[in-house]
Amino acid sequence: MSAPASTLPLPQPGLAARWLTPIELAVLGAIWGASFLFMRIAAPHFGALPLVELRLAFGALILLPFLWLARARFPWRLWPLLVLVAAINSAVPFTLFAWAAERAPAGIGAITNAMTVPFTALVGFLFFGEKIGQRRAMALAIGFVGVVVLASGRSAGASVGLAAAAGTLAAFLYGIGINLVRRHLSHLPAGAVAAANLLCSSLLVLPFAIAYWPAVNPPLLAWGSALGLGVLCTGIAMVMYYRLIARVGASRASTVTYLIPLFAVSWAWWLLDEPVTLPMLLAGVLILGSVAVSQRAAR
């Protein structure tokens, strides 16, 4: 997930703010890392589409006040674009990650999610005429090698290739969505855009969620995980992220990308006893390395 950096100079933070930012980044990384844990717990009971609908609806409820306050800046002619962005940036990728969570350890989705950063550069190059440069091209190559390593691995005797492919496709869609937001929606308040995104996505997914709603009521743990996924990991985390962007800028706030896979794998290992395999470690190093190279080239 990303947002355009402000063109205004940022105020120099005091001592308390300098300590606060790393703490908030760590908390946000832990929360977004937990989203893959929650999906891993709830997806087998709800199925991908019902779980995604709950996530979107709960998240939209948290963020709707931002949209209401900025409603005058959202004319009707803008909503078709918002619906398109919502499908690309939330509805389909969330479903792919939830589908992957039914079939593979939580760390698989979290590691592929980090490919969003180099994919954003690739989409800008392919469709929007941006220069990619040698460093970003190298970052993409490293990231793709990491995905191949991850997809070729096995966990508990089962192949995770399809789950890795689903997560990688979701990250590519994120890259498209981020570019669309930067070019067409960056003049609008970020919190309101996120609220509109979740609202439109929830309406898009709703018919499919109803059609595939589980016949057996999921257990309380699955409901709690769905609630945590929507309220904490989608709604509240978005608010935290945009506050960070406002205070320290998008570039520094985006460093949370490095923390999400680490927390996701740690949560799953600690709470679900999911193994940390050698392909996962190697792929994580390669993909996060590609993120580092890509971000440094961007700066």
Side-chain angles (χ1 to χ4, degrees):
M1 190 177 171
S2 181
S6 172
T7 56
L8 298 175
L10 294 167
Q12 292 300 315
L15 180 61
R18 287 199 296 269
W19 279 102
L20 180 62
T21 297
I23 293 173
E24 287 190 344
L25 282 169
V27 171
L28 188 58
I31 291 173
W32 271 337
S35 68
F36 295 91
L37 170 73
F38 288 145
M39 282 190 286
R40 182 63 171 156
I41 294 172
H45 299 284
F46 281 101
L49 289 164
L51 177 61
V52 168
E53 176 58 30
L54 292 173
R55 177 182 188 177
L56 293 166
F58 287 142
L61 287 174
I62 300 296
L63 294 177
L64 276 178
F66 293 93
L67 181 58
W68 176 256
L69 291 173
R71 63 190 183 279
R73 301 180 64 180
F74 286 77
W76 285 110
R77 65 179 181 276
L78 185 63
W79 284 91
L81 175 61
L82 289 168
V83 171
L84 174 64
V85 171
I88 294 172
N89 206 40
S90 292
V92 178
F94 281 10
T95 302
L96 287 168
F97 278 125
W99 183 89
E102 291 183 87
R103 294 160 174 82
I108 301 298
I111 293 170
T112 55
N113 178 70
M115 282 295 293
T116 299
V117 175
F119 274 147
T120 301
L122 177 63
V123 171
F125 170 72
L126 292 177
F127 302 110
F128 298 102
E130 289 188 1
K131 294 182 179 180
I132 196 167
Q134 290 184 347
R135 285 199 177 196
R136 281 183 161 183
M138 181 176 67
L140 279 165
I142 295 170
F144 282 130
V145 171
V147 169
V148 171
V149 170
L150 188 66
S152 64
R154 304 178 74 85
S155 180
S159 173
V160 298
L162 289 177
T168 304
L169 177 57
F172 181 72
L173 291 174
Y174 280 157
I176 297 174
I178 289 170
N179 276 280
L180 290 175
V181 169
R182 284 177 177 172
R183 282 159 178 78
H184 302 292
L185 301 174
S186 61
H187 62 288
L188 297 169
V193 171
N197 183 13
L198 295 178
L199 177 62
C200 293
S201 297
S202 66
L203 295 176
L204 289 172
V205 174
L206 181 60
F208 303 98
I210 293 173
Y212 289 96
W213 194 263
V216 178
N217 188 39
L220 187 60
L221 180 61
W223 276 105
S225 297
L227 184 65
L229 182 62
V231 173
L232 178 63
C233 301
T234 305
I236 294 175
M238 287 274 198
V239 176
M240 292 178 61
Y241 186 63
Y242 291 128
R243 281 185 57 198
L244 267 172
I245 289 174
R247 193 172 75 246
V248 302
S251 179
R252 190 173 178 191
S254 67
T255 57
V256 72
T257 306
Y258 300 105
L259 302 177
I260 295 171
L262 302 178
F263 275 108
V265 172
S266 299
W267 288 130
W269 170 77
W270 180 34
L271 297 175
L272 300 180
D273 291 326
E274 290 188 348
V276 181
T277 65
L278 182 60
M280 287 174 63
L281 289 173
L282 181 56
V285 169
L286 289 169
I287 291 174
L288 291 179
S290 76
V291 172
V293 173
S294 183
Q295 286 192 325
R296 185 169 181 179
R299 283 195 288 269

